[in-house]
Amino acid sequence: MKIGCPTEIKPQEFRVGMTPNAAQEAVAHGHEVYIQAGAGTGSGFNDEDYTRAGAKIIDTAEEVFAISDMIVKVKEPQAGERKMLREGQLLFTYLHLAPDPDQTHDLIASGCTAIAYETVTDAAGGLPLLAPMSEVAGRLAPQVGAWTLQKANGGRGVLMGGVPGVGPAKVLVIGGGVVGTHAARIAAGMGADVTVLDRSLPRMRYLDDVFGGTFKTGFSSAGYTAELLEQADMVIGAVLIPGAAAPKLVSRAQLSTMKPGAALVDVAIDQGGCFETSRATTHADPIYDVDGIMHYCVANMPGAVARTSTIALGNATMPFMLALADKGWRKACEDDPHLLNGLNVHAGKLTYYAVGKALGLDVVSPNVVLKG
Ligand SMILES: NC(=O)c1ccc[n+]([C@@H]2O[C@H](COP(=O)([O-])OP(=O)(O)OC[C@H]3O[C@@H](n4cnc5c(N)ncnc54)[C@H](O)[C@@H]3O)[C@@H](O)[C@H]2O)c1
């Protein structure tokens, strides 16, 4: 198969769909890999890294789209890229179609087969191609929170680990899923005193079994959250209710009960945020102050560490990318129902029910399409 990887063109996107290692694996499987010149620069990979891996460098996105049977990307194709997709071409990337009718219509009209990273599943009921980005955002949250807590940034001037004779920062993590667990691990590793709140008892049992002693767990009731808020130097918002906007768990009125200069890091901002006073910010201007409480609400946190994020995403996508290339999408999806769950569009038809429901469009079952 001819596999193509264009440079990402969405603003502030520095990741790339294929690492040199992924390219090398694909070449070893007998495929041809075409990388747009400079595609890896934002993640610290140069064209020579890809050439050494056996890939061919081509100058323009137009050429990459024209030559490739499968396009591997990071972000959803932008309007100009969608015009270059064609019937029978395979697209493997994040799509997030439900809130994006223009993209959905363009993909349907193109006749391509589009497999979305975010809807591929695994046997444990997880989302294996979303998880790496949650891991990155979770591990980054205490790091940016610690920076926010510094006096010059408007914070309380508290050091995460304290020093001998001075106690550590108190960190409250709301939501103990992928983001919350990784945030808690790193905050505890920095020496902070960490409590994770969740509403799922099985999840808290798991966290207590695995991390008991490293951080504490608590049940996320309004009363207990209010109690811990008053003591917290940093609060990390990491809740998710699948398919719904994030619940608002800290109100504006509650900010006045907190320590002045405390830091709120709302990782759940991409689902609307879990603090009433959260509004999305960018890496260029990440923090703002409401009532003396510093907020960090960057919606694409993994972009700050593009290299780590690219490699983490590449590790997760590689086995699926190889299966698609080796077997073709139909056989690969026949063999793996979790990959089939990623199928969103095929040959002019929408094949993902949640997207159809969100946009009021007809959907054909992926199983019907598969037999097609
Ligand atoms: N800002 C970014 O760059 C970025 C990056 C990655 C993920 N995210 C977002 O982070 C959020 C968390 O993602 P995740 O992968 O950890 O999800 P997850 O499903 O693994 O975990 C969510 C957790 O929230 C818990 N929860 C639900 N309601 C709760 C409540 N009222 N109180 C306490 N806990 C509650 C659930 O039980 C679950 O354990 C999502 O909104 C995700 O989109 C943001």
Side-chain angles (χ1 to χ4, degrees):
M1 193 180 266
K2 292 185 165 87
I3 307 170
C5 177
T7 305
E8 293 296 321
I9 55 171
K10 194 164 178 175
Q12 301 252 326
E13 182 54 68
F14 299 105
R15 289 172 293 176
V16 60
M18 284 183 88
T19 60
N21 283 345
Q24 191 179 355
E25 295 259 347
V27 170
H29 280 232
H31 306 293
E32 289 173 25
V33 177
Y34 296 91
I35 307 283
Q36 187 179 348
T41 308
S43 295
F45 299 117
N46 56 37
D47 292 348
E48 290 70 47
D49 295 328
Y50 287 101
T51 320
R52 265 196 303 276
K56 296 185 178 67
I57 303 294
I58 37 185
D59 283 339
T60 65
E62 284 77 5
E63 291 166 281
V64 174
F65 276 81
I67 204 165
S68 305
D69 304 310
M70 169 162 66
I71 297 288
V72 180
K73 273 175 56 59
V74 178
K75 296 306 279 188
E76 71 281 1
Q78 305 299 292
E81 295 174 314
R82 299 195 301 256
K83 290 202 184 87
M84 297 189 261
L85 287 165
R86 61 170 184 273
E87 201 175 329
Q89 197 167 38
L90 184 55
L91 173 66
F92 190 41
T93 191
Y94 287 120
L95 292 177
H96 296 289
L97 291 180
D100 194 346
D102 290 348
Q103 190 201 166
T104 306
H105 289 297
D106 286 354
L107 291 186
I108 291 171
S110 76
C112 80
T113 298
I115 299 186
Y117 291 165
E118 71 275 7
T119 64
V120 173
T121 52
D122 65 23
L127 300 168
L129 303 187
L130 267 189
M133 294 306 102
S134 287
E135 290 165 354
V136 169
R139 289 188 178 211
L140 188 56
Q143 187 174 317
V144 295
W147 177 81
T148 307
L149 271 180
Q150 290 174 23
K151 203 68 196 164
N153 299 322
R156 204 170 141 61
V158 168
L159 183 63
M160 288 290 270
V163 288
V166 183
K170 288 203 161 151
V171 175
L172 173 62
V173 180
I174 311 182
V178 180
V179 168
T181 304
H182 284 266
R185 272 190 62 180
I186 295 299
M190 291 166 96
D193 173 353
V194 183
T195 304
V196 178
L197 299 183
D198 206 291
R199 291 183 78 86
S200 158
L201 281 172
R203 185 67 190 168
M204 282 191 283
R205 282 192 191 106
Y206 166 80
L207 292 177
D208 188 69
D209 268 354
V210 176
F211 298 104
T214 310
F215 52 78
K216 293 159 267 185
T217 56
F219 189 77
S220 171
S221 64
Y224 193 43
T225 304
E227 201 179 301
L228 294 180
L229 266 185
E230 292 175 18
Q231 303 160 16
D233 296 295
M234 182 192 302
V235 184
I236 296 173
V239 299
L240 177 67
I241 298 177
K248 303 287 180 226
L249 301 175
V250 176
S251 68
R252 176 157 194 171
Q254 282 180 302
L255 299 188
S256 63
T257 70
M258 295 180 67
K259 296 175 182 169
L264 295 185
V265 179
D266 200 343
V267 186
I269 189 67
D270 62 339
Q271 300 293 327
C274 58
F275 311 132
E276 188 187 353
T277 43
S278 295
R279 61 172 167 79
T281 57
T282 63
H283 292 293
D285 191 10
I287 56 175
Y288 62 95
D289 175 343
V290 179
D291 301 342
I293 304 298
M294 299 310 298
H295 293 56
Y296 175 102
C297 304
V298 173
N300 64 331
M301 289 175 68
V305 287
R307 186 174 170 89
T308 302
S309 300
T310 286
I311 298 170
L313 181 62
N315 293 343
T317 56
M318 194 194 295
F320 296 105
M321 179 271 289
L322 289 175
L324 289 166
D326 291 350
K327 304 177 183 180
W329 76 270
R330 203 179 283 278
K331 177 82 173 88
C333 288
E334 238 169 50
D335 289 353
D336 182 355
H338 295 296
L339 182 57
L340 181 61
N341 285 336
L343 188 69
N344 277 230
V345 175
H346 172 66
K349 296 186 180 73
L350 192 60
T351 56
Y352 198 78
Y353 281 103
V355 174
K357 194 168 170 219
L359 298 178
L361 296 172
D362 291 339
V363 174
V364 177
S365 157
N367 286 303
V368 169
V369 163
L370 205 56
K371 287 185 189 105

